[in-house]
């Protein structure tokens, strides 16, 4: 199952909104086939795994065990049901990491295999397999995107200069990593002031994978149209209180200022099928997500050398639940989760 997870991770940023899945076929302790879901709309992990079995090992398939990190699908989507292929290949035993929370699958794949006489073991490395697809699980279980809050702060806890002059905190190596993070999420979001003062493009130009949908909260539509966010190169969603329309790659999504704003944004994002959002600022928007509890991860890039006494304070939150930390030259990246971590 560990190997299934390793394989699945190779599909990071390429298969959304589908989950990342890895599959391994084993005969008498020897791997005779393996595969993973490589791209959205393409063959699933089970298909790629069985297609990888050599001609010499084909006769061993009916006496092998298939390990798969997520419950095989039992419905027709972009591709035929993987359960049908497993049954057709007469694989006698399937070991599954965790159930698929998607309504059209949830338990149906397991049931179909069992009804066909396949021996099924479930919830093997369940925690690790659920963590692998935390975005997918959050989206289907909580009916909202998986929320990652990210910011860079100085050694004395400031995220901006407090003036019109931009404060560059993270180093060039960490910046490249941030662009990789952007490619792994469905959307990236900033508030009005960040868009106005920093004029970000919100693209992953230092990384080669897909571009996220850009989001900005601009309730009164006061942002000028010459900002990089509105250059039409990538889709941009403008959450506002004035209008609802779509013009080429610019979508205006109207929300009610009298109702809970963040909840409306997440509800709209869910309806659009956006499974995850990377929120990059500013301080007010980040703090709003924290105060409402609508977040799943926080990633703080802390520079050990730069200080800004009169700058903008970093958002406040409980930093107890640490996932991990890593140091890249002058920067230390702290990863936190919005739930207790089992040590």
């Amino acid at each position: 199952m560990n190997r299934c997870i390793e394989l699945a991770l190779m599909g990071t940023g390429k298969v959304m909104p589908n989950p990342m899945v890895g599959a391994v076929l084993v005969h008498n302790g020897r791997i005779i086939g393996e595969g993973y879901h490589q791209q959205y709309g393409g063959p699933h992990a089970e298909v790629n795994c069985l297609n990888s079995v050599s001609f010499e090992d084909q006769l061993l398939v009916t006496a092998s065990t298939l390990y798969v990190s997520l419950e095989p699908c039992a419905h027709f989507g972009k591709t035929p049901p993987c359960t049908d292929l497993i049954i057709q290949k007469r694989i006698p035993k399937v070991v599954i990491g965790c159930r698929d929370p998607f309504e059209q699958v949830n338990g149906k794949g397991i049931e179909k295999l069992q009804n066909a006489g396949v021996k099924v073991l479930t919830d093997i490395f369940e925690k690790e397999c659920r963590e692998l697809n935390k975005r997918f699980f959050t989206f289907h279980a909580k009916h909202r995107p998986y929320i990652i809050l990210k910011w860079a702060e100085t050694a004395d806890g400031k995220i901006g200069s407090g003036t019109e002059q931009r404060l560059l905190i993270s180093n060039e190596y960490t910046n490249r990593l941030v662009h990789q993070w952007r490619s792994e999420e469905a959307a990236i979001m900033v508030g009005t002031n960040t868009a106005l003062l920093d004029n970000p493009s919100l693209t992953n130009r230092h990384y080669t994978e897909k571009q996220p949908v850009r989001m900005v909260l601009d309730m009164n539509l006061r942002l000028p149209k010459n900002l990089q966010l509105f250059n039409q190169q990538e889709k941009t969603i403008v959450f506002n209180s004035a209008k609802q329309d779509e013009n080429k790659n610019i979508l205006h999504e109207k929300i009610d200022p009298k109702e809970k704003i963040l909840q409306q944004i997440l509800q709209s994002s869910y309806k659009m099928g956006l499974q995850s959002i990377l929120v990059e600022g500013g301080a007010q928007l980040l703090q709003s997500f924290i105060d409402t509890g609508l977040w799943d991860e926080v990633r703080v890039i802390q520079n050990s050398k730069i200080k800004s006494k009169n700058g903008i304070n970093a958002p406040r939150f409980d930093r107890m639940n640490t996932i991990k930390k890593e140091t890249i030259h002058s920067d230390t990246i702290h990863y936190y989760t919005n739930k207790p971590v089992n040590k």
Side-chain angles (χ1 to χ4, degrees), residues 221-238:
L221 293 179
R222 63 186 179 90
L223 292 175
K225 300 308 176 186
N226 61 349
L227 293 180
Q228 293 188 87
L229 276 175
F230 304 126
N231 60 17
Q232 304 278 354
Q233 291 179 4
E234 304 296 336
K235 183 175 181 178
T236 299
I237 301 171
V238 184

Side-chain angles (χ1 to χ4, degrees), residues 73-76 101-106 108-109:
C73 61
H75 69 292
F76 281 88
F102 184 45
E103 185 178 359
Q104 289 182 275
V105 180
N106 197 354
K108 297 181 179 67

Side-chain angles (χ1 to χ4, degrees), residues 146-163:
Y146 188 87
I147 304 299
I148 301 172
L149 310 180
K150 167 262 169 184
W151 67 82
E153 64 182 38
T154 62
D156 55 349
K158 309 296 182 182
I159 67 170
S161 65
T163 67

